[in-house]
Amino acid sequence: MKSFSFRSNYDENQNVELLIKERNRKIARQQIIFAIILLIVIALLVWYFVRKTIYTEFDGYVHTEYKDYRAVEDIYLFDQYTDEGDIVVPGDTLYSYTFTNMFGSSGIGSEPEIVINDRSMKLQRDNAYAEANVLRVRIKELMAQIAREDNNIRFGMTDNSHKMDLERELAETRAMLQSALDKASRYGNIHHSNRSMIQSTAQYGIDFSNEQWGLDHALRQLYESNAPIIRYAIAQDTAVVTKVWAPPFSRVFKKEQILQLEDLSYEKSNVQVIAWVPTHEMGKINNNTRAEIIVNDDVSFMASVQLLGARTEDLPEELRNNLSHTYTAIMVVFRPDRDQELPLWAVVDRVPVRVRIKNYENGRRDDGSDYWYIDNFGLTEPSKKLWLEQRQRTRKRLHPATAIQQANAAADSAATKPEKSNTKQVAQ
């Protein structure tokens, strides 16, 4: 029988070398990935610090004025020819109406004074209760803020001054709440007494609801016959309807709102950007500063300073910094530059924006026009001189025809002066 011997080609040294190479490749990949991540982090940090060095950003919001159509007298509204979102042009009809006081002497169901007074007292009572509910919410919020201030004082994060202000505000709010409740109670008592008087007169055959129905029925007949007393409200500018308060065929009392329009021009609608600027950063902004107003990543526009220091306001809680104890900021007003195309949604009231200005190219001229200086007589002489020059340039830009006439008159006067001097020389 032959002997059997097993021989293998397995080489242990070769296997160890393969394991070492594989481990080295893994380590190299890990090092490359770590280096790439580190470079990205360093680049982001460098970008952040460079951006903070070049730019300064403030929080703000857009302010837009709307045009409200109100009833100048008690009216009866017939048709609403527009709806929310409709764009109107000058001459478009907004709504039709007639004055209800025209029927006071005709005996067509004029509303008694006691009914008007009763409705007014009920409205005042409801408004007082609504105000009381708002004050209750404010009291809860102040109590929560006081509790947070106690915690901050306990840990040495703040002093006692802000807590004392909150306690004073809480006491004032509680007093306002009690006053609102007393007011609502008084209005409610008057309302109940009026209701009892109305019910007592019903036994003598006076039915105010029937008189009201009679007036509405008579006005509808006038509408159907297209009577000449029907009047129409006409749009004056190109605008978009943003709100409709009064439905068709309804009564609208004096000074009540009917509809609201927003002009489709950021100059006519007086679009402004209001920015919260802390006092320690007011040196970065001046009268000649232009800013980039950032609405989102896709929408931004340029604006110039219109007024430095319009007023001061308390910073919203989400913008406050407890470490710097900055709770009040100066409101700076920016006006959008001309000849820009902006989406309508970006220039409506209370849109939050970011105001970005350059730290080194912020428009500073150092000629006295960066800030207006005042004394006990008004503008100082250098500021007044620069202000007059700026006003003259603005008038030339807004009224070029007048500026051309003035320039031509000045040129004519300058042309006639040498002729006079020449005649004098010839005479001599």
Side-chain angles (χ1 to χ4, degrees):
M1 184 176 179
K2 294 182 179 181
S3 61
F4 175 79
S5 63
F6 179 80
R7 291 185 179 182
S8 175
N9 294 326
Y10 180 77
D11 190 353
E12 294 182 357
N13 293 330
Q14 184 179 1
N15 187 32
V16 171
E17 291 178 358
L18 291 175
L19 291 175
I20 292 174
K21 289 181 180 179
E22 184 66 23
R23 186 180 64 181
N24 290 337
R25 281 196 292 268
K26 289 183 179 179
I27 293 174
R29 280 198 301 267
Q30 292 175 358
Q31 289 177 346
I32 292 173
I33 294 173
F34 178 77
I36 293 174
I37 295 175
L38 182 61
L39 288 175
I40 293 175
V41 172
I42 293 174
L44 290 175
L45 290 175
V46 170
W47 175 80
Y48 174 79
F49 285 110
V50 169
R51 182 180 173 185
K52 288 295 183 182
T53 304
I54 298 176
Y55 299 103
T56 298
E57 291 187 358
F58 306 106
D59 293 286
Y61 61 91
V62 174
H63 171 71
T64 303
E65 293 182 0
Y66 297 97
K67 182 180 295 182
D68 292 341
Y69 279 76
R70 299 174 181 267
V72 295
E73 295 290 344
D74 293 345
I75 67 173
Y76 189 84
L77 187 69
F78 294 120
D79 277 326
Q80 281 279 17
Y81 295 97
T82 59
D83 201 356
E84 292 186 11
D86 291 344
I87 295 179
V88 297
V89 297
D92 284 352
T93 303
L94 301 177
Y95 55 88
S96 60
Y97 66 97
T98 188
F99 293 104
T100 57
N101 57 11
M102 299 174 62
F103 307 96
S105 60
S106 62
I108 306 179
S110 59
E111 196 172 35
E113 185 70 23
I114 186 174
V115 177
I116 299 175
N117 188 26
D118 176 65
R119 183 174 55 251
S120 176
M121 291 300 104
K122 184 176 181 297
L123 178 63
Q124 295 290 346
R125 182 200 63 183
D126 295 341
N127 289 339
Y129 278 127
E131 182 182 358
N133 292 331
V134 174
L135 292 173
R136 288 192 183 98
V137 174
R138 180 59 181 163
I139 288 173
K140 291 181 180 179
E141 179 63 24
L142 288 173
M143 293 176 67
Q145 291 183 16
I146 290 174
R148 288 195 296 268
E149 283 298 318
D150 288 335
N151 184 49
N152 294 337
I153 293 172
R154 188 177 299 109
F155 288 99
M157 298 175 61
T158 183
D159 53 14
N160 198 31
S161 59
H162 187 52
K163 178 185 176 182
M164 295 176 65
D165 293 337
L166 291 175
E167 289 177 346
R168 284 194 295 269
E169 187 174 356
L170 177 61
E172 293 176 359
T173 307
R174 284 175 172 169
M176 292 171 63
L177 173 61
Q178 187 61 40
S179 175
L181 292 175
D182 294 340
K183 188 188 300 182
S185 177
R186 290 193 296 269
Y187 285 137
N189 294 333
I190 298 175
H191 168 63
H192 290 309
S193 63
N194 288 338
R195 296 307 302 174
S196 62
M197 293 177 62
I198 293 174
Q199 292 173 1
S200 63
T201 55
Q203 61 183 340
Y204 297 103
I206 300 176
D207 190 352
F208 297 139
S209 60
N210 288 337
E211 294 194 6
Q212 176 65 40
W213 179 87
L215 177 59
D216 294 343
H217 182 67
L219 292 173
R220 281 179 175 271
Q221 288 179 343
L222 292 173
Y223 170 77
E224 293 173 358
S225 62
N226 195 17
I229 64 171
I230 299 177
R231 305 193 178 192
Y232 299 90
I234 306 299
Q236 302 297 325
D237 296 305
T238 303
V240 59
V241 181
T242 57
K243 185 68 176 177
V244 177
W245 281 282
F249 298 101
S250 62
R251 275 197 171 204
V252 182
F253 298 98
K254 185 177 181 179
K255 296 184 179 180
E256 283 187 346
Q257 293 172 313
I258 302 173
L259 56 83
Q260 183 185 75
L261 302 179
E262 180 185 358
D263 285 319
L264 293 181
S265 167
Y266 54 80
E267 291 188 350
K268 289 185 179 180
S269 57
N270 193 25
V271 173
Q272 297 174 331
V273 176
I274 313 297
W276 289 288
V277 181
T279 54
H280 64 274
E281 294 187 352
M282 283 297 295
K284 300 179 180 179
I285 191 170
N286 56 76
N287 289 332
N288 306 309
T289 299
R290 296 179 72 247
E292 181 184 6
I293 310 301
I294 301 173
V295 185
N296 60 7
D297 294 335
D298 301 324
V299 179
S300 64
F301 57 93
M302 301 302 296
S304 302
V305 172
Q306 184 180 16
L307 178 60
L308 288 176
R311 59 188 179 277
T312 58
E313 285 187 7
D314 292 337
L315 280 172
E317 292 187 2
E318 61 271 14
L319 301 180
R320 293 182 181 180
N321 188 351
N322 292 327
L323 297 178
S324 63
H325 298 284
T326 301
Y327 300 132
T328 305
I330 297 175
M331 309 308 292
V332 178
V333 181
F334 290 84
R335 171 75 71 177
D337 294 343
R338 298 169 62 90
D339 301 328
Q340 296 185 97
E341 295 182 358
L342 306 176
L344 178 62
W345 66 265
V347 289
V348 297
D349 201 27
R350 306 301 297 183
V351 172
V353 296
R354 287 178 292 129
V355 180
R356 178 185 294 173
I357 64 173
K358 294 182 179 180
N359 293 331
Y360 301 104
E361 297 179 3
N362 58 1
R364 184 177 294 276
R365 299 177 182 175
D366 293 328
D367 60 351
S369 64
D370 296 326
Y371 303 98
W372 301 127
Y373 293 92
I374 61 175
D375 55 19
N376 56 336
F377 298 106
L379 282 173
T380 59
E381 288 299 327
S383 294
K384 186 176 181 180
K385 181 180 178 181
L386 291 170
W387 172 73
L388 291 174
E389 294 176 356
Q390 179 179 348
R391 177 176 161 180
Q392 188 68 21
R393 289 194 299 268
T394 304
R395 287 185 173 180
K396 288 181 180 180
R397 187 183 75 249
L398 296 178
H399 306 286
T402 305
I404 292 174
Q405 293 176 359
Q406 292 178 355
N408 293 335
D412 294 340
S413 62
T416 56
K417 286 182 180 179
E419 296 177 358
K420 293 181 179 179
S421 60
N422 292 334
T423 55
K424 289 183 179 178
Q425 292 176 0
V426 172
Q428 289 175 357

